[in-house]
Amino acid sequence: MGDSQYSFSLTTFSPSGKLVQIEHALTAVGSGQTSLGIKAANGVVIATEKKLPSILVDETSVQKIQSLTPNIGVVYSGMGPDFRVLVRKSRKQAEQYHRLYKEPIPVTQLVRETATVMQEFTQSGGVRPFGVSLLVAGFDDKGPQLYQVDPSGSYFSWKASAMGKNVSNAKTFLEKRYTDDMELDDAVHTAILTLKEGFEGQISSKNIEIGIIGTDKKFRVLTPGEIDDYLAEVE
Amino acid sequence: MSRGSGGGYDRHITIFSPEGRLFQVEYAFKAVKAAGVTSIGVRGKDSVCVVTQKKVPDKLLDHTSVTHLFPITKYLGLLATGMTADARTLVQQARNEAAEFRFRYGYEMPVDVLSKWIADKSQVYTQHAYMRPLGVVAMILGIDEEFGPRLYKCDPAGHFFGHKATSAGLKEQEAINFLEKKMKNDPAFTYEETVQTAISALQSVLQEDFKASEIEVGVVRKENPDFQVLSVEEIDEHLTAISERD
């Protein structure tokens, strides 16, 4: 980022010691569509609302949940265009790791590198922080993992987490329902119920997306048919 | 403590406002509307049609040089709504990128790949202070080898979606309301129906009947995947068909 005319950081400390641009970025995340993730004993599930601006939008052209590697997936709350940038950079970093070490990148390392990128945009000249929080779900030698990365670049490992509009209700719901020995199937049901909590309108396979990874270590997004089956079970 | 807005620059460059908004991006959307033109795109079963107003502000202008409809490659078209100068640089970069893609990978750049490229470029302008967002909404149309007719819309915020039908510009919302009613039951329009839906949507929303010289129409069809700008005679045929139908 050699924006020469802007070789000063736009994110600077306020007198009270806060980085105000990051706080504003978090506000942008908080007004985004709800997304959540749950780590089960044998896998991880991530899910999000997929509310499109009009029925004229072709919903098959939009996929909010993306895979970074065959065994790591990611979902976001906040600004879609910023998310695309991070997905692209993370995928490249995962590939570079693989080229160097001839093995798939561990989840923690990919999360750390993505978080580093996000932090750089809070300190470099002439750029603004990313307006997204990410939920990264992966399964490697250390087992199933779920990480949340914020616009500041800080990240934590979570058993279950939520972000976006309905975050407080969703987190309260998850705190009540979460158990350490949950199976992946139960986790998917819980994820759907959590999304349903704050959902405006009728929930269906056309306005939510769910991604799972199990002991097979293959991240995949559920088809609308599979989501319909889960929705029927939940009713 | 809700302090000021980072020195009051949140309206001048693309940094966050206290509510987490990007004012420069929102102003870019306003600039698109300020151009005073409305555009419409409709995707049919085996064709895509885009329509826009052709406003020639001065009789002395060479009207053939006034256009918002640009071929990017032989098979991809781009309809730019908003600031013409920004549109021209976008088109120039898109043409370059599509040509390089063809050279590098040996096959034609698909519609969604070009749209994503344009949207990602727009995103950069929303994050880096050194360049402002472009005041253009771009509609890209083409026939995809796998998926058939495709219509994508890219905006100054860096969003892009595939659309069954869409609109941009001054009367965007009215047009979208009109189109939602028409497309509610997922109709599979023929080529003629696609073009006529697009043109009649524009006429209805602007509440005027057009002459063929006052609108620009671009199409791609499965039988003929080349992006084509319709001639005045062809537009006239469709206008006549619409008025006879009503």
Side-chain angles (χ1 to χ4, degrees):
Chain A
M1 283 152 300
D3 309 335
S4 53
Q5 233 115 2
Y6 277 94
S7 53
F8 54 91
S9 177
L10 300 173
T11 307
T12 53
F13 285 108
S14 71
S16 55
K18 290 202 272 186
L19 288 168
V20 186
Q21 275 295 301
I22 296 181
E23 312 241 329
H24 299 338
L26 283 162
T27 313
V29 170
S31 46
Q33 290 178 11
T34 312
S35 60
L36 57 95
I38 303 177
K39 183 172 69 176
N42 60 340
V44 192
V45 58
I46 49 179
T48 181
E49 282 181 3
K50 188 163 96 168
K51 290 252 180 74
L52 296 167
S54 158
I55 57 162
L56 296 173
V57 173
D58 183 353
E59 72 273 0
T60 60
S61 76
V62 180
Q63 201 179 311
K64 287 179 72 171
I65 299 185
Q66 296 282 334
S67 65
L68 299 178
T69 72
N71 66 324
I72 304 176
V74 65
V75 74
Y76 74 101
S77 277
M79 302 166 72
D82 287 9
F83 174 66
R84 287 203 311 270
V85 173
L86 287 171
V87 165
R88 173 172 278 158
K89 286 192 199 271
S90 305
R91 283 174 174 164
K92 188 154 187 183
Q93 282 162 337
E95 275 305 308
Q96 286 170 338
Y97 181 100
H98 186 270
R99 192 177 67 168
L100 187 52
Y101 299 108
K102 292 286 180 276
E103 62 166 46
I105 188 170
V107 184
T108 43
Q109 304 234 27
L110 185 56
V111 169
R112 190 188 319 134
E113 299 207 8
T114 309
T116 306
V117 169
M118 291 171 83
Q119 189 284 337
E120 279 168 6
F121 275 71
T122 68
Q123 203 175 13
S124 302
V127 290
R128 61 163 174 81
F130 284 96
V132 287
S133 281
L134 305 174
L135 274 172
V136 183
F139 202 126
D140 61 16
D141 299 330
K142 294 205 188 70
Q145 292 160 76
L146 177 68
Y147 286 90
Q148 181 174 332
V149 195
D150 286 331
S152 57
S154 67
Y155 63 94
F156 294 103
S157 174
W158 290 80
K159 298 179 190 174
S161 184
M163 341 182 277
K165 251 183 254 180
N166 206 29
V167 61
S168 44
N169 284 345
K171 277 199 172 172
T172 318
F173 192 88
L174 286 170
E175 276 173 23
K176 283 196 209 115
R177 293 269 180 149
Y178 184 81
T179 61
D180 283 314
D181 52 7
M182 227 180 205
E183 297 263 312
L184 188 55
D185 256 5
D186 301 327
V188 177
H189 289 132
T190 308
I192 293 178
L193 287 168
T194 317
L195 275 180
K196 239 182 146 186
E197 273 291 293
F199 206 88
E200 285 162 22
Q202 180 70 359
I203 198 170
S204 82
S205 57
K206 284 202 180 155
N207 49 27
I208 61 170
E209 254 183 51
I210 303 181
I212 58 169
I213 181 163
T215 44
D216 58 355
K217 292 194 194 161
K218 291 219 173 355
F219 180 81
R220 66 190 190 82
V221 178
L222 297 183
T223 65
E226 291 170 308
I227 299 183
D228 274 325
D229 292 337
Y230 277 108
L231 279 170
E233 285 170 28
V234 150
E235 292 296 333
Chain B
M1 187 171 19
S2 65
R3 286 235 137 211
S5 41
Y9 283 101
D10 54 352
R11 293 184 184 269
H12 299 279
I13 51 175
T14 51
I15 57 175
F16 284 113
S17 77
E19 306 85 40
R21 292 156 65 182
L22 294 172
F23 280 116
Q24 274 294 299
V25 175
E26 297 185 15
Y27 297 162
F29 277 96
K30 293 216 176 117
V32 172
K33 287 202 186 290
V37 162
T38 307
S39 310
I40 301 213
V42 178
R43 183 184 85 191
K45 196 170 53 153
D46 45 24
S47 59
V48 186
C49 173
V50 291
V51 173
T52 186
Q53 290 172 266
K54 185 165 174 167
K55 278 193 176 170
V56 185
D58 195 331
K59 271 195 244 179
L60 295 172
L61 271 173
D62 179 357
H63 67 94
T64 57
S65 73
V66 177
T67 179
H68 290 84
L69 205 44
F70 304 95
I72 304 296
T73 67
K74 203 163 159 225
Y75 308 105
L76 295 178
L78 191 152
L79 173 60
T81 313
M83 299 166 68
T84 2
D86 287 8
R88 285 190 192 273
T89 87
L90 180 63
V91 166
Q92 194 67 355
Q93 291 170 349
R95 284 174 174 164
N96 189 51
E97 185 61 27
E100 277 189 19
F101 186 100
R102 173 66 185 81
F103 175 73
R104 230 184 273 144
Y105 301 112
Y107 70 101
E108 292 293 329
M109 194 172 199
V111 194
D112 57 324
V113 177
L114 178 63
S115 310
K116 188 166 186 200
W117 183 84
I118 292 175
D120 285 346
K121 213 149 210 271
S122 307
Q123 191 281 340
V124 171
Y125 303 146
T126 74
Q127 196 166 25
H128 292 251
Y130 72 110
M131 295 269 282
R132 61 166 175 79
L134 292 176
V136 180
V137 167
M139 282 191 222
I140 299 108
L141 62 160
I143 305 289
D144 187 281
E145 280 174 7
E146 253 183 285
F147 299 112
R150 291 280 108 167
L151 171 67
Y152 279 84
K153 185 169 82 167
C154 310
D155 63 26
H159 286 117
F160 82 105
F161 295 120
H163 286 266
K164 302 169 195 170
T166 189
S167 167
L170 188 56
K171 300 268 175 187
E172 176 179 342
Q173 196 47 56
E174 291 91 330
I176 289 190
N177 296 342
F178 181 96
L179 291 166
E180 278 182 359
K181 285 192 209 114
K182 286 261 167 173
M183 311 281 290
K184 213 195 285 193
N185 303 311
D186 266 328
F189 287 140
T190 63
Y191 169 66
E192 283 75 20
E193 287 172 329
T194 308
V195 178
Q196 283 166 27
T197 306
I199 297 179
S200 55
L202 196 60
Q203 291 190 148
S204 153
V205 152
L206 296 172
Q207 283 163 358
E208 61 178 274
D209 282 326
F210 294 114
K211 293 204 281 277
S213 56
E214 292 172 341
I215 57 174
E216 286 186 277
V217 183
V219 298
V220 284
R221 311 172 59 167
K222 248 195 193 157
E223 303 104 60
N224 183 11
D226 292 359
F227 171 70
Q228 287 190 322
V229 177
L230 296 187
S231 67
V232 171
E233 292 82 32
E234 290 169 311
I235 300 179
D236 237 335
E237 278 176 25
H238 288 286
L239 283 169
T240 322
I242 292 174
S243 59
E244 275 171 11
R245 188 192 64 192
D246 292 335

